[in-house]
Amino acid sequence: MTLLIHSMSEFSDIILHALQIAGVRNIAEVGAEFGGTSQQLAAYARVTGGSLTSIDPAPKNEFLAWVAQTPEVRHMPEASHDAMPKLSNIDAWVIDGDHNYYTVIEELRIANRLALRDGKHLFALMHDVSWPCARRDCYYAPDRIPAEHRHPYSYEAGVTLGDPQLHEGRGFRGCGSFAWALHEGGPRNGVLTAVEDFLEETRTEERPLAWAHVPAVFGLGILFDSAAPWAPALAEMIMPWHNNKLLHALETNRLSNYLAVIDWQDRTAGRAAA
């Protein structure tokens, strides 16, 4: 399983360039995990004289050890929906927390309300907007999702490319660490669906929002206020990456190879058990 490339830090060149273009100083990060992206954001904030606030109720020990030695970084060990409203004057949100519809659309709504309140241009960089979370909820903590917003799920069943069904004991799966919704697609299901619904519900506002999708390493999404003075420069930088067919083909190949490795591991484990 260690073969999987999954970190948002793989997009560091694009992310840091986007932050520079937008003149970002104060950053809020949702989801720290091991702290790979956090360290890059902290270094950026240090150079620009800005700040980094990292929101994660249960990060890995590696992150906790790092943040304990990095006093300029503020860690909020709370769920995003509780922590975000306590912040102010955030220039950019880096969202890589729980990858499900309810969590993500509420995070975007909160970020938008805070931007309007503080006179900021909404700017969010988001991970996992491509397969498998684009149209299927992933739950790290299902109990935090209200029952009416939570799809039936499984910790043991896995996903495979081109198949909307889950497969028990096969495919890309959490093995107890995270769960997949039993079905793919449909209303209120998946990260990309949350983004699209948020864009639709904010379409009548005076600030038109722009969206770009980089289809690699589970997908990077960039959501920003197209009326911002820096928006044209950001759009010019990100446009070659947006829905790039070559990147999409490479990502599909990468995932196919990884799923083949999982299948090989499962068959090997099955023979050993027999």
Side-chain angles (χ1 to χ4, degrees):
M1 298 296 183
T2 55
L3 291 174
L4 180 62
I5 299 172
H6 71 281
S7 175
M8 196 176 187
S9 63
E10 303 298 330
F11 298 104
S12 59
D13 287 349
I14 293 176
I15 292 172
L16 296 177
H17 193 185
L19 297 178
Q20 292 169 349
I21 289 172
V24 168
R25 294 184 70 255
N26 299 319
I27 308 165
E29 172 192 41
V30 175
E33 197 175 23
F34 291 96
T37 302
S38 310
Q39 294 181 39
Q40 294 175 345
L41 296 176
Y44 171 89
R46 194 178 301 119
V47 169
T48 60
S51 65
L52 171 64
T53 300
S54 185
I55 300 168
D56 195 322
K60 303 298 184 182
N61 289 332
E62 290 88 336
F63 169 82
L64 293 173
W66 169 75
V67 83
Q69 301 175 0
T70 314
E72 62 267 30
V73 178
R74 177 189 182 190
H75 174 220
M76 300 179 72
E78 306 174 51
S80 59
H81 296 176
D82 297 325
M84 290 174 67
K86 300 175 183 178
L87 301 180
S88 60
N89 294 314
I90 299 299
D91 298 313
W93 300 87
V94 179
I95 299 176
D96 189 17
D98 212 358
H99 315 310
N100 58 76
Y101 180 94
Y102 171 77
T103 300
V104 170
I105 198 168
E106 287 300 318
E107 288 168 347
L108 291 175
R109 287 166 175 164
I110 294 169
N112 190 45
R113 288 197 297 269
L114 295 180
L116 290 170
R117 183 198 67 189
D118 297 341
K120 296 284 186 177
H121 297 288
L122 181 62
F123 184 22
L125 301 107
M126 312 171 62
H127 199 204
D128 291 272
V129 298
S130 297
W131 190 91
C133 295
R135 306 297 182 189
R136 187 194 298 271
D137 275 0
C138 175
Y139 304 119
Y140 283 97
D143 291 344
R144 292 202 189 111
I145 310 298
E148 64 271 24
H149 296 287
R150 187 178 62 229
H151 298 285
Y153 60 89
S154 170
Y155 276 100
E156 300 304 326
V159 295
T160 56
L161 281 169
D163 189 344
Q165 303 302 315
L166 286 186
H167 299 273
E168 197 67 29
R170 186 163 68 86
F172 180 29
R173 56 198 187 274
C175 298
S177 62
F178 63 84
W180 293 117
L182 295 186
H183 71 281
E184 182 181 51
R188 299 182 296 280
N189 196 9
V191 174
L192 186 57
T193 306
V195 173
E196 290 170 347
D197 286 357
F198 173 76
L199 287 169
E200 184 62 32
E201 71 182 31
T202 57
R203 194 176 300 279
T204 59
E205 294 185 4
E206 293 182 359
R207 299 175 309 142
L209 298 178
W211 167 252
H213 183 169
V214 184
V217 195
F218 297 133
L220 174 70
I222 302 180
L223 182 70
F224 59 100
D225 183 351
S226 62
W230 40 261
L234 179 57
E236 182 179 7
M237 184 275 285
I238 200 64
M239 187 55 64
W241 305 105
H242 174 57
N243 287 339
N244 185 287
K245 292 182 180 180
L246 175 59
L247 286 182
H248 182 267
L250 292 172
E251 174 72 350
T252 300
N253 183 66
R254 180 183 80 92
L255 292 168
S256 297
N257 289 335
Y258 182 64
L259 289 166
V261 170
I262 293 177
D263 184 58
W264 173 78
Q265 290 175 329
D266 289 341
R267 286 188 280 110
T268 301
R271 286 195 295 268

PDB file of all heavy atoms in Angstrom, residues 22-53:
ATOM      1  N   ALA A  22      -1.771  35.442  -5.855  1.00  0.00           N
ATOM      2  CA  ALA A  22      -2.883  36.064  -5.139  1.00  0.00           C
ATOM      3  C   ALA A  22      -2.423  36.934  -3.975  1.00  0.00           C
ATOM      4  O   ALA A  22      -3.264  37.545  -3.295  1.00  0.00           O
ATOM      5  CB  ALA A  22      -3.838  34.985  -4.626  1.00  0.00           C
ATOM      6  N   GLY A  23      -1.130  37.008  -3.733  1.00  0.00           N
ATOM      7  CA  GLY A  23      -0.622  37.824  -2.636  1.00  0.00           C
ATOM      8  C   GLY A  23      -1.079  37.337  -1.277  1.00  0.00           C
ATOM      9  O   GLY A  23      -1.282  38.137  -0.351  1.00  0.00           O
ATOM     10  N   VAL A  24      -1.208  36.041  -1.142  1.00  0.00           N
ATOM     11  CA  VAL A  24      -1.721  35.453   0.100  1.00  0.00           C
ATOM     12  C   VAL A  24      -0.703  35.592   1.226  1.00  0.00           C
ATOM     13  O   VAL A  24       0.497  35.379   1.036  1.00  0.00           O
ATOM     14  CB  VAL A  24      -2.058  33.956  -0.127  1.00  0.00           C
ATOM     15  CG1 VAL A  24      -2.302  33.238   1.190  1.00  0.00           C
ATOM     16  CG2 VAL A  24      -3.256  33.837  -1.050  1.00  0.00           C
ATOM     17  N   ARG A  25      -1.200  35.932   2.413  1.00  0.00           N
ATOM     18  CA  ARG A  25      -0.368  35.960   3.610  1.00  0.00           C
ATOM     19  C   ARG A  25      -0.904  34.981   4.654  1.00  0.00           C
ATOM     20  O   ARG A  25      -0.166  34.155   5.153  1.00  0.00           O
ATOM     21  CB  ARG A  25      -0.291  37.371   4.191  1.00  0.00           C
ATOM     22  CG  ARG A  25       0.427  38.381   3.276  1.00  0.00           C
ATOM     23  CD  ARG A  25       0.581  39.740   3.923  1.00  0.00           C
ATOM     24  NE  ARG A  25       1.540  39.739   5.028  1.00  0.00           N
ATOM     25  CZ  ARG A  25       1.208  39.787   6.304  1.00  0.00           C
ATOM     26  NH1 ARG A  25      -0.072  39.856   6.666  1.00  0.00           N
ATOM     27  NH2 ARG A  25       2.132  39.787   7.248  1.00  0.00           N
ATOM     28  N   ASN A  26      -2.177  35.088   4.975  1.00  0.00           N
ATOM     29  CA  ASN A  26      -2.746  34.264   6.038  1.00  0.00           C
ATOM     30  C   ASN A  26      -3.478  33.057   5.444  1.00  0.00           C
ATOM     31  O   ASN A  26      -4.442  33.212   4.696  1.00  0.00           O
ATOM     32  CB  ASN A  26      -3.703  35.098   6.887  1.00  0.00           C
ATOM     33  CG  ASN A  26      -3.005  36.266   7.551  1.00  0.00           C
ATOM     34  OD1 ASN A  26      -1.882  36.136   8.036  1.00  0.00           O
ATOM     35  ND2 ASN A  26      -3.651  37.422   7.557  1.00  0.00           N
ATOM     36  N   ILE A  27      -3.014  31.868   5.806  1.00  0.00           N
ATOM     37  CA  ILE A  27      -3.516  30.621   5.244  1.00  0.00           C
ATOM     38  C   ILE A  27      -4.173  29.794   6.339  1.00  0.00           C
ATOM     39  O   ILE A  27      -3.658  29.710   7.456  1.00  0.00           O
ATOM     40  CB  ILE A  27      -2.372  29.795   4.622  1.00  0.00           C
ATOM     41  CG1 ILE A  27      -1.564  30.637   3.628  1.00  0.00           C
ATOM     42  CG2 ILE A  27      -2.905  28.530   3.966  1.00  0.00           C
ATOM     43  CD1 ILE A  27      -0.234  30.008   3.252  1.00  0.00           C
ATOM     44  N   ALA A  28      -5.290  29.165   5.997  1.00  0.00           N
ATOM     45  CA  ALA A  28      -5.914  28.177   6.884  1.00  0.00           C
ATOM     46  C   ALA A  28      -5.940  26.842   6.151  1.00  0.00           C
ATOM     47  O   ALA A  28      -6.388  26.763   5.005  1.00  0.00           O
ATOM     48  CB  ALA A  28      -7.323  28.594   7.280  1.00  0.00           C
ATOM     49  N   GLU A  29      -5.443  25.820   6.817  1.00  0.00           N
ATOM     50  CA  GLU A  29      -5.353  24.480   6.242  1.00  0.00           C
ATOM     51  C   GLU A  29      -6.334  23.568   6.970  1.00  0.00           C
ATOM     52  O   GLU A  29      -6.355  23.519   8.202  1.00  0.00           O
ATOM     53  CB  GLU A  29      -3.925  23.964   6.404  1.00  0.00           C
ATOM     54  CG  GLU A  29      -3.729  22.514   6.035  1.00  0.00           C
ATOM     55  CD  GLU A  29      -2.379  21.988   6.487  1.00  0.00           C
ATOM     56  OE1 GLU A  29      -1.943  22.319   7.619  1.00  0.00           O
ATOM     57  OE2 GLU A  29      -1.764  21.229   5.715  1.00  0.00           O
ATOM     58  N   VAL A  30      -7.147  22.852   6.214  1.00  0.00           N
ATOM     59  CA  VAL A  30      -8.066  21.869   6.783  1.00  0.00           C
ATOM     60  C   VAL A  30      -7.540  20.483   6.436  1.00  0.00           C
ATOM     61  O   VAL A  30      -7.525  20.093   5.269  1.00  0.00           O
ATOM     62  CB  VAL A  30      -9.496  22.044   6.236  1.00  0.00           C
ATOM     63  CG1 VAL A  30     -10.409  20.938   6.755  1.00  0.00           C
ATOM     64  CG2 VAL A  30     -10.049  23.414   6.621  1.00  0.00           C
ATOM     65  N   GLY A  31      -7.083  19.752   7.444  1.00  0.00           N
ATOM     66  CA  GLY A  31      -6.510  18.431   7.235  1.00  0.00           C
ATOM     67  C   GLY A  31      -5.002  18.495   7.148  1.00  0.00           C
ATOM     68  O   GLY A  31      -4.452  18.989   6.162  1.00  0.00           O
ATOM     69  N   ALA A  32      -4.320  17.994   8.170  1.00  0.00           N
ATOM     70  CA  ALA A  32      -2.859  18.046   8.206  1.00  0.00           C
ATOM     71  C   ALA A  32      -2.218  16.688   7.960  1.00  0.00           C
ATOM     72  O   ALA A  32      -1.173  16.594   7.328  1.00  0.00           O
ATOM     73  CB  ALA A  32      -2.388  18.592   9.552  1.00  0.00           C
ATOM     74  N   GLU A  33      -2.826  15.629   8.487  1.00  0.00           N
ATOM     75  CA  GLU A  33      -2.308  14.262   8.429  1.00  0.00           C
ATOM     76  C   GLU A  33      -0.857  14.246   8.909  1.00  0.00           C
ATOM     77  O   GLU A  33      -0.574  14.538  10.065  1.00  0.00           O
ATOM     78  CB  GLU A  33      -2.468  13.659   7.045  1.00  0.00           C
ATOM     79  CG  GLU A  33      -2.336  12.145   7.063  1.00  0.00           C
ATOM     80  CD  GLU A  33      -2.614  11.504   5.720  1.00  0.00           C
ATOM     81  OE1 GLU A  33      -2.498  12.170   4.691  1.00  0.00           O
ATOM     82  OE2 GLU A  33      -2.935  10.296   5.742  1.00  0.00           O
ATOM     83  N   PHE A  34       0.108  13.927   8.025  1.00  0.00           N
ATOM     84  CA  PHE A  34       1.508  13.841   8.430  1.00  0.00           C
ATOM     85  C   PHE A  34       2.205  15.206   8.445  1.00  0.00           C
ATOM     86  O   PHE A  34       3.301  15.331   8.978  1.00  0.00           O
ATOM     87  CB  PHE A  34       2.276  12.894   7.502  1.00  0.00           C
ATOM     88  CG  PHE A  34       1.880  11.454   7.646  1.00  0.00           C
ATOM     89  CD1 PHE A  34       0.945  10.891   6.793  1.00  0.00           C
ATOM     90  CD2 PHE A  34       2.438  10.664   8.640  1.00  0.00           C
ATOM     91  CE1 PHE A  34       0.585   9.561   6.917  1.00  0.00           C
ATOM     92  CE2 PHE A  34       2.082   9.332   8.779  1.00  0.00           C
ATOM     93  CZ  PHE A  34       1.144   8.762   7.916  1.00  0.00           C
ATOM     94  N   GLY A  35       1.597  16.213   7.823  1.00  0.00           N
ATOM     95  CA  GLY A  35       2.174  17.550   7.836  1.00  0.00           C
ATOM     96  C   GLY A  35       3.057  17.886   6.657  1.00  0.00           C
ATOM     97  O   GLY A  35       3.753  18.908   6.680  1.00  0.00           O
ATOM     98  N   GLY A  36       3.038  17.060   5.597  1.00  0.00           N
ATOM     99  CA  GLY A  36       3.867  17.346   4.434  1.00  0.00           C
ATOM    100  C   GLY A  36       3.517  18.668   3.777  1.00  0.00           C
ATOM    101  O   GLY A  36       4.390  19.514   3.530  1.00  0.00           O
ATOM    102  N   THR A  37       2.231  18.866   3.509  1.00  0.00           N
ATOM    103  CA  THR A  37       1.787  20.139   2.932  1.00  0.00           C
ATOM    104  C   THR A  37       1.910  21.265   3.943  1.00  0.00           C
ATOM    105  O   THR A  37       2.272  22.403   3.598  1.00  0.00           O
ATOM    106  CB  THR A  37       0.335  20.020   2.446  1.00  0.00           C
ATOM    107  OG1 THR A  37       0.231  18.971   1.491  1.00  0.00           O
ATOM    108  CG2 THR A  37      -0.148  21.324   1.818  1.00  0.00           C
ATOM    109  N   SER A  38       1.635  20.965   5.209  1.00  0.00           N
ATOM    110  CA  SER A  38       1.713  21.976   6.272  1.00  0.00           C
ATOM    111  C   SER A  38       3.096  22.618   6.317  1.00  0.00           C
ATOM    112  O   SER A  38       3.218  23.844   6.458  1.00  0.00           O
ATOM    113  CB  SER A  38       1.411  21.338   7.635  1.00  0.00           C
ATOM    114  OG  SER A  38       0.226  20.592   7.609  1.00  0.00           O
ATOM    115  N   GLN A  39       4.133  21.813   6.192  1.00  0.00           N
ATOM    116  CA  GLN A  39       5.491  22.357   6.270  1.00  0.00           C
ATOM    117  C   GLN A  39       5.777  23.299   5.104  1.00  0.00           C
ATOM    118  O   GLN A  39       6.441  24.323   5.273  1.00  0.00           O
ATOM    119  CB  GLN A  39       6.497  21.206   6.311  1.00  0.00           C
ATOM    120  CG  GLN A  39       6.390  20.379   7.582  1.00  0.00           C
ATOM    121  CD  GLN A  39       7.394  19.253   7.638  1.00  0.00           C
ATOM    122  OE1 GLN A  39       8.546  19.421   7.230  1.00  0.00           O
ATOM    123  NE2 GLN A  39       6.986  18.103   8.129  1.00  0.00           N
ATOM    124  N   GLN A  40       5.279  22.958   3.920  1.00  0.00           N
ATOM    125  CA  GLN A  40       5.482  23.839   2.767  1.00  0.00           C
ATOM    126  C   GLN A  40       4.708  25.144   2.935  1.00  0.00           C
ATOM    127  O   GLN A  40       5.218  26.219   2.605  1.00  0.00           O
ATOM    128  CB  GLN A  40       5.053  23.107   1.500  1.00  0.00           C
ATOM    129  CG  GLN A  40       5.920  21.910   1.184  1.00  0.00           C
ATOM    130  CD  GLN A  40       5.415  21.114  -0.002  1.00  0.00           C
ATOM    131  OE1 GLN A  40       4.274  21.272  -0.431  1.00  0.00           O
ATOM    132  NE2 GLN A  40       6.260  20.249  -0.540  1.00  0.00           N
ATOM    133  N   LEU A  41       3.482  25.053   3.446  1.00  0.00           N
ATOM    134  CA  LEU A  41       2.682  26.259   3.667  1.00  0.00           C
ATOM    135  C   LEU A  41       3.299  27.129   4.758  1.00  0.00           C
ATOM    136  O   LEU A  41       3.294  28.365   4.660  1.00  0.00           O
ATOM    137  CB  LEU A  41       1.255  25.875   4.045  1.00  0.00           C
ATOM    138  CG  LEU A  41       0.444  25.122   2.984  1.00  0.00           C
ATOM    139  CD1 LEU A  41      -0.914  24.713   3.542  1.00  0.00           C
ATOM    140  CD2 LEU A  41       0.261  25.978   1.733  1.00  0.00           C
ATOM    141  N   ALA A  42       3.841  26.491   5.797  1.00  0.00           N
ATOM    142  CA  ALA A  42       4.480  27.246   6.878  1.00  0.00           C
ATOM    143  C   ALA A  42       5.710  27.980   6.372  1.00  0.00           C
ATOM    144  O   ALA A  42       5.957  29.138   6.755  1.00  0.00           O
ATOM    145  CB  ALA A  42       4.845  26.303   8.021  1.00  0.00           C
ATOM    146  N   ALA A  43       6.487  27.326   5.517  1.00  0.00           N
ATOM    147  CA  ALA A  43       7.673  27.982   4.960  1.00  0.00           C
ATOM    148  C   ALA A  43       7.275  29.182   4.115  1.00  0.00           C
ATOM    149  O   ALA A  43       7.920  30.244   4.170  1.00  0.00           O
ATOM    150  CB  ALA A  43       8.476  26.979   4.132  1.00  0.00           C
ATOM    151  N   TYR A  44       6.213  29.029   3.331  1.00  0.00           N
ATOM    152  CA  TYR A  44       5.711  30.153   2.529  1.00  0.00           C
ATOM    153  C   TYR A  44       5.268  31.301   3.445  1.00  0.00           C
ATOM    154  O   TYR A  44       5.619  32.471   3.211  1.00  0.00           O
ATOM    155  CB  TYR A  44       4.538  29.695   1.672  1.00  0.00           C
ATOM    156  CG  TYR A  44       3.810  30.828   0.983  1.00  0.00           C
ATOM    157  CD1 TYR A  44       4.207  31.275  -0.269  1.00  0.00           C
ATOM    158  CD2 TYR A  44       2.743  31.471   1.609  1.00  0.00           C
ATOM    159  CE1 TYR A  44       3.555  32.331  -0.885  1.00  0.00           C
ATOM    160  CE2 TYR A  44       2.085  32.524   0.995  1.00  0.00           C
ATOM    161  CZ  TYR A  44       2.493  32.955  -0.240  1.00  0.00           C
ATOM    162  OH  TYR A  44       1.851  34.014  -0.849  1.00  0.00           O
ATOM    163  N   ALA A  45       4.487  30.975   4.477  1.00  0.00           N
ATOM    164  CA  ALA A  45       3.985  32.013   5.384  1.00  0.00           C
ATOM    165  C   ALA A  45       5.132  32.721   6.104  1.00  0.00           C
ATOM    166  O   ALA A  45       5.085  33.935   6.336  1.00  0.00           O
ATOM    167  CB  ALA A  45       3.019  31.391   6.395  1.00  0.00           C
ATOM    168  N   ARG A  46       6.166  31.976   6.428  1.00  0.00           N
ATOM    169  CA  ARG A  46       7.314  32.556   7.120  1.00  0.00           C
ATOM    170  C   ARG A  46       8.003  33.591   6.241  1.00  0.00           C
ATOM    171  O   ARG A  46       8.353  34.689   6.699  1.00  0.00           O
ATOM    172  CB  ARG A  46       8.281  31.438   7.509  1.00  0.00           C
ATOM    173  CG  ARG A  46       9.355  31.853   8.516  1.00  0.00           C
ATOM    174  CD  ARG A  46      10.230  30.645   8.874  1.00  0.00           C
ATOM    175  NE  ARG A  46       9.426  29.569   9.450  1.00  0.00           N
ATOM    176  CZ  ARG A  46       9.314  28.355   8.920  1.00  0.00           C
ATOM    177  NH1 ARG A  46       9.931  28.061   7.773  1.00  0.00           N
ATOM    178  NH2 ARG A  46       8.578  27.431   9.509  1.00  0.00           N
ATOM    179  N   VAL A  47       8.164  33.272   4.971  1.00  0.00           N
ATOM    180  CA  VAL A  47       8.836  34.188   4.042  1.00  0.00           C
ATOM    181  C   VAL A  47       8.005  35.444   3.796  1.00  0.00           C
ATOM    182  O   VAL A  47       8.535  36.549   3.692  1.00  0.00           O
ATOM    183  CB  VAL A  47       9.140  33.466   2.707  1.00  0.00           C
ATOM    184  CG1 VAL A  47       9.592  34.458   1.642  1.00  0.00           C
ATOM    185  CG2 VAL A  47      10.198  32.398   2.911  1.00  0.00           C
ATOM    186  N   THR A  48       6.686  35.289   3.720  1.00  0.00           N
ATOM    187  CA  THR A  48       5.810  36.417   3.414  1.00  0.00           C
ATOM    188  C   THR A  48       5.374  37.198   4.648  1.00  0.00           C
ATOM    189  O   THR A  48       4.645  38.185   4.523  1.00  0.00           O
ATOM    190  CB  THR A  48       4.551  35.925   2.680  1.00  0.00           C
ATOM    191  OG1 THR A  48       3.837  34.994   3.521  1.00  0.00           O
ATOM    192  CG2 THR A  48       4.918  35.258   1.365  1.00  0.00           C
ATOM    193  N   GLY A  49       5.799  36.760   5.825  1.00  0.00           N
ATOM    194  CA  GLY A  49       5.371  37.420   7.053  1.00  0.00           C
ATOM    195  C   GLY A  49       3.921  37.142   7.390  1.00  0.00           C
ATOM    196  O   GLY A  49       3.282  37.923   8.092  1.00  0.00           O
ATOM    197  N   GLY A  50       3.412  36.028   6.891  1.00  0.00           N
ATOM    198  CA  GLY A  50       2.021  35.668   7.130  1.00  0.00           C
ATOM    199  C   GLY A  50       1.878  34.641   8.242  1.00  0.00           C
ATOM    200  O   GLY A  50       2.716  34.561   9.147  1.00  0.00           O
ATOM    201  N   SER A  51       0.814  33.847   8.158  1.00  0.00           N
ATOM    202  CA  SER A  51       0.523  32.879   9.213  1.00  0.00           C
ATOM    203  C   SER A  51      -0.109  31.640   8.607  1.00  0.00           C
ATOM    204  O   SER A  51      -0.681  31.677   7.515  1.00  0.00           O
ATOM    205  CB  SER A  51      -0.432  33.479  10.253  1.00  0.00           C
ATOM    206  OG  SER A  51      -1.702  33.739   9.659  1.00  0.00           O
ATOM    207  N   LEU A  52       0.002  30.526   9.334  1.00  0.00           N
ATOM    208  CA  LEU A  52      -0.661  29.284   8.963  1.00  0.00           C
ATOM    209  C   LEU A  52      -1.435  28.770  10.164  1.00  0.00           C
ATOM    210  O   LEU A  52      -0.870  28.610  11.254  1.00  0.00           O
ATOM    211  CB  LEU A  52       0.348  28.225   8.517  1.00  0.00           C
ATOM    212  CG  LEU A  52      -0.241  26.815   8.305  1.00  0.00           C
ATOM    213  CD1 LEU A  52      -1.246  26.815   7.166  1.00  0.00           C
ATOM    214  CD2 LEU A  52       0.868  25.794   8.056  1.00  0.00           C
ATOM    215  N   THR A  53      -2.712  28.530   9.960  1.00  0.00           N
ATOM    216  CA  THR A  53      -3.546  27.853  10.950  1.00  0.00           C
ATOM    217  C   THR A  53      -3.924  26.499  10.379  1.00  0.00           C
ATOM    218  O   THR A  53      -4.474  26.420   9.284  1.00  0.00           O
ATOM    219  CB  THR A  53      -4.818  28.659  11.264  1.00  0.00           C
ATOM    220  OG1 THR A  53      -4.450  29.940  11.782  1.00  0.00           O
ATOM    221  CG2 THR A  53      -5.674  27.927  12.286  1.00  0.00           C
TER     222      THR A  53
END
